[in-house]
Amino acid sequence: MRFSFRQQLIAYTLAITSVISATVIVTNLAKEQQQIVERVEEKGRTLATGLALNLVDPVALLAIDRIKMLLRSAVADADVAAAYALDEFGLVLFGAGEHALQRGSAIDAMELVQPASKSSGASVVRTGTTTKIVHAVRLADGSTIGFVFVELSTVGMRALQIAAAYQSAMLALGLLLIAAVLAYFLARRFSRPVEELVQAADMVASGGLDTR
């Protein structure tokens, strides 16, 4: 089947618009994904640092109620899956969260304990949708008396990303429909002289030499 010049022009316009829309959506989603990961990590670092400072006296004095209160306050944040106070060996003293480990248990990010003990900041590891952070709890003289372990999830923020992606897709669909309408009228306007010229050429070719 042979397509007219107008049909081809409309098809090309829609194809170009579709590619541009898809590229913009994919680029924005990738950028948003990276921003989500960075925001969660920054949030976790800030939380772990704050907990490490606030837990110095409670851990040193083994003030159980105060430790539990601080940990429960941390997990009140929807993005925080769990928060733990660890002893100087990296084992659980107390924890808060939906599936908190028992006292004396080893966390599933023990590889972060050693680097955290030698760093003034936090040690971080990302696994799938989870960001795990360990920060040392130190006395004024710099000696380490324990650690803070915080586990954050990006699931909540990714739900917002999906909603944003849906809105972007609807916007792209709207733009595509507008492009289709514009392509039709533009193609109709610019293709008419070409189609008339083609018709005239066909008539001349068939013997109509008086065609204008």
Side-chain angles (χ1 to χ4, degrees):
M1 182 174 63
R2 182 180 178 182
F3 293 99
S4 66
F5 177 76
R6 181 183 302 176
Q7 291 173 324
Q8 292 181 45
L9 185 58
I10 292 173
Y12 290 147
T13 303
L14 291 178
I16 293 172
T17 305
S18 299
V19 171
I20 293 175
S21 299
T23 302
V24 170
I25 291 175
V26 171
T27 301
N28 287 341
L29 286 177
K31 187 182 297 183
E32 179 65 21
Q33 174 64 30
Q34 182 60 32
Q35 289 175 347
I36 286 175
V37 172
E38 291 174 355
R39 284 199 297 266
V40 168
E41 181 174 327
E42 182 59 31
K43 183 178 187 177
R45 286 180 180 274
T46 302
L47 177 60
T49 301
L51 274 176
L53 291 173
N54 292 328
L55 282 171
V56 173
D57 289 339
V59 170
L61 300 173
L62 205 59
I64 298 174
D65 291 340
R66 178 65 176 165
I67 293 174
K68 288 183 176 180
M69 185 189 73
L70 289 169
L71 296 178
R72 287 169 183 162
S73 176
V75 297
D77 189 307
D79 295 325
V80 180
Y84 294 91
L86 311 177
D87 62 20
E88 66 271 26
F89 304 108
L91 301 178
V92 174
L93 282 174
F94 300 100
E98 187 176 354
H99 303 291
L101 298 172
Q102 296 298 316
R103 185 170 183 175
S105 301
I107 60 173
D108 59 354
M110 290 297 290
E111 71 275 11
L112 296 178
V113 172
Q114 187 66 20
S117 67
K118 300 178 180 178
S119 171
S120 59
S123 296
V124 182
V125 64
R126 299 172 185 167
T127 55
T129 60
T130 303
T131 299
K132 300 175 183 180
I133 302 173
V134 173
H135 196 297
V137 178
R138 292 188 174 91
L139 295 174
D141 62 4
S143 58
T144 300
I145 59 172
F147 299 90
V148 169
F149 171 55
V150 179
E151 184 176 332
L152 296 93
S153 173
T154 60
V155 172
M157 287 190 176
R158 285 186 177 178
L160 296 177
Q161 182 191 29
I162 292 174
Y166 176 78
Q167 293 178 351
S168 297
M170 291 299 100
L171 177 61
L173 180 60
L175 292 175
L176 192 59
L177 292 176
I178 293 174
V181 174
L182 290 176
Y184 173 78
F185 286 105
L186 289 175
R188 185 176 180 181
R189 178 176 179 180
F190 291 111
S191 66
R192 183 175 296 171
V194 177
E195 291 178 343
E196 290 177 353
L197 183 61
V198 171
Q199 291 175 0
D202 289 340
M203 293 181 66
V204 170
S206 61
L209 300 179
D210 59 343
T211 300
R212 293 183 179 179

